[in-house]
Amino acid sequence: MRRHLGFVALLALGVVTGCKDSKPTGSAVEPEGSGGGDDGTGDDGTGDEGTDDGTDDGGDEGGEDVSYAFEDRGDVVPFEDEEGTALIDLSDQTGDESNKDNEFLLVLINTSTTAYGYELRYTEAPEDTDTGGGGAAGPAGPLAVASPAAPAALSPGRARLREARRTGRLGPATPPAAPPPPYGASDIGSARRQFQVRDSIEDDDSSEPVDATLWAVGSYVDIWVDDGWPINFDADCDGTPERIHPAGAFGFDNCDLALIADAIDANIHPTMSTVFGDVPDVNGDGKVTVVITPNLNQMTTFLDEEDDSYGEVVRSYVDPEVDLNDFDASDNPNSNEQEIIFVFAPDESGAVNPAARTSVDSYTEVELLAEVARGYQRLISYKYHVIDTGNEDGETTWVQEGLSALAADLTGFGSVYYDDVWDYLDAPHITPLVDESDLEVINTDQWGAQYLFFRWLYEHADDLATLGQDSEGGAGDTGGGSGLTGEQLVAQLVQSSDVGTDNITNITGLSMEELVLYWQVSMATAGREKSDGSALVSEDEWPPYDAATTVTAPTSSPSAGDLYGANGYQQGINLAGVNTFMEGGFTDGGTAENVERRVTTSGLDLSTMVTGFNYFGYVAANYGTQVTRLSDIPYDEGALLVDALGSGYIGVVVRLEDPASPDYIVENIFSSTDATDVSLQALPADGTPIRALGAIQDKGASFIRTADGEEELAPVYDTDRFLLDLTDRAASETVKISVHLERRYVDRSGTVGPSDPWLSVVPKNLVPHPTVSTINSSSCSGHPITFAYPSSVTEHLYYQLFLSSDAVGTDFQSEEEEGDSGATDGGGTGGEGGGEASTDFDPCGTLPDDDTGAATTLDCTNDFDLDGVPDALEALPSTFLQQVQVMQCNAYGRGGFVPVGSEIIDTDHIDEDEDSYFDRAANLGGLFGEDGEEAYLETELTGGAEYLIVVGAGDDTGPYELTVTQLND
């Protein structure tokens, strides 16, 4: 039986699922007069004849009422919430397969203006319901466009400027009667002038005068450099500068800027004019001024390390509201009265901003031209949205920044945004797409989401009409856009009098909900295939990103419109593959990759849901997205219940290829005193990751019993152990692995836990494995203390056998403090050391000495492990690192080993910052929550042995997902 989902609103999305007899349905935007008569179109164009038969009720002659259900791999079922709840039927409609053997991909998008959390649960599929994709109580209402966020408050100076413009006291600047005299080659290195430059991120009224010298002249650009910044002068560009700056310019000279001017003339200016529109010219000189100044580098130098902008450079800014309007001492005192782009300086040594160095090569061959393209877009946008229309406000922030990133890409220099792309794909659930607030002149935010969105729109502009089309009539011939080319779409977006989401929906003919849904599915399914090698989902119905291309452009004598300067550079984005940052695009055959800037992606990052663990999510407002792999379904006919603390979410569930065997293991040991190892799946040698899911639970307890009869209840903190078995590898083989722990949400309020987890990889024999059968007083006849692991132990056994949840000691205590700390919160109630490098801690304990009064005859009653060290003199480790060192002594004997150090502890835990480790080139690491760190470790192991991955979290708790990958060069 095929269950009818009754999902009226999302039927209008025009989505086709994998059901073999399903067809596209009507557009969400119905053209006027397209009601759909008997033949589904309406003969008279008014729609009167088709009101009964061609509307969403699925009439006989109008569009078919599609039933969304799963029958095959790659099937797609859309859903939206009903007052915060949705129920999605996962059962196989053919009745041939059990959901226990299936996996699915959930893509959930928050369309509301408020971030909120949700919970996922597996349930048995409902019988004969009408709710399969539309919520728990029947069909949901129509999709609603999210309300715009409240605009950000303007600074006093900018508010005065806008008020002056509104009242007519200050209008758009008019060109002077005669343009200023043009600069020529003779002015290079000699012409000087003063510019007013912003010097603060926060205060947009704060500026300072900058003296600059002209260093390059083009047909459409003059390039100036702050006199406070070193640059060499090479008059004939023969490689031997006539003037070498005493401060050291690292090869930065006027010849670099001459090439930049040529690239602007041949590439940036004509490409931007053709695709985006006309450049304004308020001062009548026909040029754009570029000013290179370290003022921008310095803006973030002294920010606190906790500030989101620390370590980021203000790469450029354009302030047309100021600079394209007349100077006024009261209302517009910072105007330069011209089209001007301010760009950061190449700071190879970190002389201005040590946290953000930029090489001269990267700067002159990629970065500077990318920022000029970005600035051009801002100037062009201001012309159409403000100067030509008389509107007070320009384009919204997110649209402006997305189109600016696209401008850099279309001119060949989009690789500067690939870092932002990786960061967005790594954590799309914490990043909004839409920001309707006024455009900030200066920001260091990341715009990966916005670049990706507009790149997708550009590539699929001609598909938008068919995405919204109803093949059966009832909604007109073209429910979506008008089949524009990418260039036409961009031009209309920039040159329209509308802004923000209204502008996009008016031009594309699709709602933001529809556009974002298609866009997000293209990223969530990127690189995913069926077993026959075909794409997981239909590419006709869910258009994917185009593969990136390589620019071919002349390296000399360019013509207008050539992508000069970008020869050999990547254009576009590989959503599941390698993205290269190329340099040397001006030279013939000299293009080379800057490998340090390589970015490898694999679509949207995801988390895994399994039975037995609470699964919580939390999604940013304004089209934040979370992707979840649905695994370990316990029912033959299952369903997924989504229960959120807010409403206004949409999404899809995609059926994945059925796994041959699970690639994950679940750590579900309840007791914190249980020392059982959980075996991971076999590690694939080809780099395919394996996973583990676990949770650090609340602490347990054990009794410490002493010889004098005292008994003390001591905490035992939860630590997890995962066995990585490499005995199938040759003993001569070196196996390099990465282990990445990502935290998860602990509730629906957005709390991520644990806050500071750690992990370690050590040989199995160096981790204590106490057992009930051997660690008890009855195993030693005549032992003076009665104990039985795990409920009670002697003092030294407590410290040596129960794994400490403290990895290396609190905050790496100084040598003066080490040895005096005793146990930390993670290690118990006593001890002789703390911290990695303690010189006082002896992992082998103290040998008996006549002066100590220790017994000279040792047996199991006073030396339980018969290692020659009396129980009273055994080492009392307080950290996991010290416990491993104790095990080293047990294994190799006193003097037979070198104590391990912090190299066995993950990078995030031992470094000094609070940032999660990541490697964009290798596509490793990353973050999950906005605050706190994950845990990441790369290490080399030897084949033929067993290893344990140990996870701890101090005294914190929470769920996590562990990924283990073999790294191959």
Side-chain angles (χ1 to χ4, degrees), residues 161 521 530 713 743 820 908 927 962:
L161 174 59
V521 171
K530 297 180 182 178
L713 187 65
R743 302 166 298 150
D820 298 325
D908 283 331
L927 57 80
L962 199 68

Side-chain angles (χ1 to χ4, degrees), residues 621-639:
N622 295 318
Y623 306 100
T625 299
Q626 193 156 23
V627 182
T628 305
R629 181 177 66 157
L630 307 176
S631 301
D632 192 29
I633 301 169
Y635 306 106
D636 288 322
E637 293 189 5

Side-chain angles (χ1 to χ4, degrees), residues 331-345:
D331 293 319
N332 197 21
N334 296 325
S335 178
N336 290 287
E337 296 188 311
Q338 60 188 295
E339 292 74 26
I340 189 166
I341 303 170
F342 294 98
V343 186
F344 75 114

Side-chain angles (χ1 to χ4, degrees), residues 594-680:
N594 183 336
V595 179
E596 293 182 356
R597 301 285 300 268
R598 178 184 296 175
V599 172
T600 304
T601 61
S602 55
L604 294 172
D605 199 13
L606 55 80
S607 54
T608 303
M609 176 182 174
V610 295
T611 299
F613 278 86
N614 290 330
Y615 186 96
F616 298 102
Y618 194 85
V619 193
N622 295 318
Y623 306 100
T625 299
Q626 193 156 23
V627 182
T628 305
R629 181 177 66 157
L630 307 176
S631 301
D632 192 29
I633 301 169
Y635 306 106
D636 288 322
E637 293 189 5
L640 179 72
L641 176 64
V642 187
D643 187 12
L645 289 178
S647 60
Y649 61 84
I650 62 173
V652 299
V653 174
V654 183
R655 182 169 170 183
L656 299 175
E657 277 287 315
D658 296 340
S661 61
D663 63 356
Y664 62 89
I665 195 70
V666 178
E667 201 281 339
N668 53 9
I669 297 173
F670 180 79
S671 172
S672 62
T673 62
D674 192 327
T676 302
D677 302 331
V678 176
S679 296
L680 294 169

Side-chain angles (χ1 to χ4, degrees), residues 861-916:
T861 63
N862 52 19
D863 180 11
F864 185 74
D865 55 7
L866 297 176
D867 63 351
V869 178
D871 293 348
L873 300 179
E874 284 276 0
L876 303 180
S878 63
T879 67
F880 175 75
L881 184 61
Q882 291 177 352
Q883 288 175 323
V884 173
Q885 293 171 350
V886 170
M887 292 297 295
Q888 283 184 286
C889 185
N890 292 341
Y892 307 117
R894 188 182 299 270
F897 69 100
V898 177
V900 295
S902 61
E903 69 275 3
I904 69 170
I905 308 298
D906 75 89
T907 303
D908 283 331
H909 197 71
I910 64 174
D911 61 18
E912 295 180 356
D913 60 47
E914 295 183 4
D915 298 324
S916 296

